[in-house]
């Protein structure tokens, strides 16, 4: 059996320290530093003759000639909110939080409004900015 020297011990310790430093840096890059917003184009043809447009991550609601973009994530626990056409409200299927068509909180455990997203007009449609 080979006996470890002080040099071997320090070499292993330095490698472990540098490995831990690399893992910490990677964690910070992924979870802490903000990511740029994701931009989604909604073509004008998809919005013709509609007052509500449902996408995977957001809703577009027509209000007084302009479009309001709402994130489909419930502020309570992040479940995907759905639209109920009979009641004309948004409902979270997980815990039944309810929101108006303008995203305002009505009832349930959420206690906050749906997040309003930035929308900009572009030739041929709208650009919606989703959080990164």
């Amino acid at each position: 059996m080979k006996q470890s020297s002080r040099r071997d011990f320090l070499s292993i310790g330095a490698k472990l320290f540098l490995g831990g430093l690399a893992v910490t840096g990677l964690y910070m890059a992924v979870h802490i530093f903000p990511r740029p917003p994701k931009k989604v184009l909604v073509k004008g043809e998809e919005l013709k003759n509609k007052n509500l447009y449902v996408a995977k991550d957001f809703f577009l609601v027509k209000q007084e000639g302009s479009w309001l973009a709402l994130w489909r994530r419930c502020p309570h626990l992040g479940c995907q909110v759905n639209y109920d056409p009979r009641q004309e409200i948004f409902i979270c299927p997980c815990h039944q939080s309810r929101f108006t068509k303008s995203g305002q909180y009505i009832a349930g455990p959420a206690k906050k409004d749906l997040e309003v997203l930035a929308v900009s007009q572009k030739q041929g449609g709208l650009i919606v900015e989703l959080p990164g």
Side-chain angles (χ1 to χ4, degrees):
M1 188 164 133
K2 181 184 171 192
Q3 192 174 9
S4 296
S5 68
R6 182 173 175 216
R7 180 174 288 163
D8 293 337
F9 176 76
L10 290 175
S11 175
I12 291 170
K15 289 176 185 174
L16 288 173
F17 174 75
L18 291 175
L21 197 60
V23 168
T24 302
L26 182 62
Y27 175 83
M28 288 180 67
V30 171
H31 295 287
I32 295 175
F33 297 125
R35 290 178 256 164
K38 179 181 171 186
K39 295 183 180 186
V40 179
L41 171 66
V42 180
K43 295 181 182 177
E45 301 90 51
E46 298 178 63
L47 300 173
K48 276 190 178 174
N49 302 321
K50 290 186 180 179
N51 291 324
L52 177 74
Y53 175 81
V54 180
K56 178 185 170 217
D57 297 317
F58 62 91
F59 296 107
L60 281 172
V61 182
K62 194 167 197 174
Q63 292 186 332
E64 300 171 12
S66 64
W67 290 92
L68 172 70
L70 300 170
W71 205 14
R72 287 187 71 177
R73 235 183 235 179
C74 181
H76 177 235
L77 291 177
C79 297
Q80 191 173 40
V81 176
N82 297 314
Y83 179 69
D84 182 357
R86 289 179 294 146
Q87 299 180 54
E88 293 189 349
I89 60 172
F90 299 112
I91 301 175
C92 177
C94 299
H95 301 104
Q96 302 304 307
S97 289
R98 296 168 186 276
F99 307 90
T100 66
K101 280 181 83 171
S102 60
Q104 294 176 324
Y105 167 77
I106 299 171
K111 306 292 186 231
K112 290 182 184 176
D113 298 341
L114 291 177
E115 187 174 341
V116 176
L117 304 173
V119 180
S120 56
Q121 191 87 29
K122 183 181 177 184
Q123 186 177 2
L126 299 173
I127 301 277
V128 179
E129 288 189 24
L130 303 175

